[in-house]
């Protein structure tokens, strides 16, 4: 039996490492457990500021936040006012991508799997529009409705059918950032994509990226993001559960869409 690894926030109780001392607040790769023995301290980061909730270092200021930041700015190469579509837009990554795109005055539409998420995208996170992909019979037509002039940027967290639908709606010289494929992870036989010719006709750039290659950017990312959070210009919706016992259900919930924003489990109170 093995402890499930995850991202966690904790306080150093004892350290033989010169970079960490008792009492330091850290976040990084930990076990889903009350006490972790960290054998690879390079996977930890000291928490530089404590005037924001510590859980933010698991979401908007942590790995998902950096994913949104590098994915959007570096891989989507956005320009002011462009048309942006985000799949799984109410997930930890998607909700930040949308808000970053709004800061650039883009027109932003997200897809999500429930009415509640769609309402929150529009009314809390400032998306221009959003739709429930589960209620759309034809995703391509739905996208035409929201983007009559086409999509410049597609930030994909889902993969599968949505990529085919988006390819039919991309504008000339559009960019597609492949961030995640949550719809494909549980499948033994992943779905194929038919409309790849659109990549040629529309001169698209399609690029996958992995955030671990960009961890050196954390200090720059925090300098950028913390002022927005402090000023309330970036919101972070968290779905908080209490107790280690809630871990299995929380994990399962990511694949059924039960989480409402970044899933956080409180193992012990500060
Ligand atoms: N490239 C990288 O370095 C990197 C880094 C971090 C994360 N990722 C990937 O980025 C994606 C987003 O991560 P996250 O942390 O934002 O996700 P998250 O908060 O864990 O959200 C997961 C959401 O995915 C949606 N979903 C699940 N199954 C689906 C399906 N079959 N079709 C459509 N939507 C489905 C559900 O929302 P609905 O209710 O909307 O269905 C669920 O709430 C994931 O695929 C993740 O693996 C990649």
């Amino acid at each position: 039996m093995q402890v499930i690894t995850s991202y966690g926030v904790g306080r150093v109780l004892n350290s033989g490492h010169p970079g960490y001392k008792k009492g330091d607040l850290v976040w990084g790769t930990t076990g889903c457990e009350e006490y972790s023995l960290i054998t690879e301290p390079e996977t930890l980061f000291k928490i530089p500021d404590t005037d924001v909730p510590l859980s933010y270092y698991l979401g908007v200021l942590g790995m998902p936040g950096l994913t949104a930041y590098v994915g959007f700015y570096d891989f989507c190469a956005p320009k002011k006012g462009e048309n942006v579509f985000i799949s799984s837009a109410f997930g930890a990554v998607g909700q930040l991508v949308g808000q970053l795109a709004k800061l650039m005055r883009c027109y932003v539409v997200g897809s999500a799997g429930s009415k509640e998420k769609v309402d929150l995208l529009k009314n809390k996170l400032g998306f221009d529009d959003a739709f429930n992909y589960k209620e759309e019979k034809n995703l391509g037509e739905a996208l035409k409705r929201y983007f009559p002039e086409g999509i410049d940027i597609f930030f994909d967290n889902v993969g599968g059918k949505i990529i085919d639908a988006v390819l039919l709606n991309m504008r000339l010289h559009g960019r597609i950032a492949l961030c995640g494929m949550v719809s494909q992870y549980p499948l033994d036989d992943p779905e194929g994509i038919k409309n790849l010719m659109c990549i040629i006709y529309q001169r698209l750039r399609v690029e996958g990226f992995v955030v671990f290659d960009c961890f050196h950017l954390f200090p720059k990312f925090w300098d950028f993001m913390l002022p927005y959070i402090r000023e309330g210009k970036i919101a972070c919706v968290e779905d908080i559960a209490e107790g280690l016992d809630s871990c299995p259900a929380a994990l399962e919930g990511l694949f059924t869409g039960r989480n409402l924003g970044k899933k956080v489990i409180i193992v012990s109170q500060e």
Side-chain angles (χ1 to χ4, degrees):
M1 233 176 26
Q2 247 186 325
V3 177
I4 299 173
T5 51
S6 183
Y7 283 96
V9 168
R11 193 179 283 286
V12 175
L13 292 181
N14 203 347
S15 166
H17 188 285
Y20 297 96
K21 60 178 190 320
K22 187 177 172 185
D24 281 348
L25 282 168
V26 292
W27 74 271
T29 310
T30 63
C32 286
E33 53 194 351
E34 282 178 85
Y35 300 94
S36 283
L37 176 66
I38 307 294
T39 53
E40 295 172 14
E42 62 278 8
T43 62
L44 286 189
F45 294 82
K46 274 196 192 174
I47 292 185
D49 284 274
T50 51
D51 65 333
V52 296
L54 291 175
S55 58
Y56 280 19
Y57 288 92
L58 302 177
V60 69
L61 291 173
M63 185 277 284
L66 185 68
T67 303
Y69 174 79
V70 294
F72 184 62
Y73 288 118
D74 293 354
F75 292 89
C76 297
K79 296 186 203 74
K80 197 172 156 191
E82 285 192 317
N83 291 345
V84 178
F85 174 57
I86 303 156
S87 59
S88 187
F90 204 71
V93 176
Q95 53 172 270
L96 185 54
V97 175
Q99 293 180 84
L100 295 177
K102 281 315 300 174
L103 290 176
M104 288 199 69
R105 297 173 196 275
C106 292
Y107 168 71
V108 183
V109 177
S111 61
S114 72
K115 182 178 181 314
E116 190 177 11
K117 290 182 186 183
V118 165
D119 288 345
L120 285 163
L121 284 170
K122 292 195 282 191
N123 302 322
K124 185 169 172 72
L125 298 184
F127 281 52
D128 294 286
D129 226 323
F131 65 90
N132 181 348
Y133 66 90
K134 291 178 181 166
E135 287 179 349
E136 298 291 344
K137 285 202 180 65
N138 184 324
L139 286 171
E141 279 173 18
L143 288 169
K144 260 190 192 64
R145 231 170 39 236
Y146 291 99
F147 295 98
E149 290 172 12
I151 299 167
D152 295 296
I153 291 173
F154 173 39
F155 192 105
D156 188 25
N157 294 306
V158 169
K161 290 181 195 58
I162 193 78
I163 298 182
D164 257 326
V166 168
L167 281 171
L168 295 173
N169 285 280
M170 289 298 291
R171 288 174 100 172
L172 209 60
H173 300 299
R175 281 84 65 206
I176 297 181
L178 298 178
C179 173
M181 298 214 169
V182 67
S183 72
Q184 305 299 294
Y185 303 148
L187 305 182
D188 290 331
D189 187 14
E191 291 168 297
I193 299 168
K194 289 186 297 188
N195 297 324
L196 292 172
M197 265 194 300
C198 301
I199 298 175
I200 302 171
Y201 297 151
Q202 296 299 80
R203 289 83 161 164
L204 305 178
R205 205 183 76 206
V206 182
E207 198 167 358
F209 69 97
V210 174
V211 72
F212 305 129
D213 301 340
C214 310
F215 269 25
H216 60 283
L217 294 174
F218 265 117
K220 184 177 163 206
F221 166 61
W222 288 324
D223 285 347
F224 171 87
M225 190 58 67
L226 275 162
Y228 283 116
I229 290 176
R230 290 187 183 119
E231 289 164 27
K233 289 187 177 153
I234 293 277
C236 169
V237 181
E238 298 178 314
D239 181 342
I240 296 181
E242 288 229 25
L244 271 178
D245 291 352
S246 51
C247 281
L251 191 59
E252 191 227 330
L254 300 181
F255 294 95
T256 56
R258 219 175 33 238
N259 63 314
L260 202 59
K262 173 65 195 168
K263 189 78 206 177
V264 175
I265 294 166
I266 298 178
V267 177
S268 88
Q269 292 290 351
E270 228 316 81

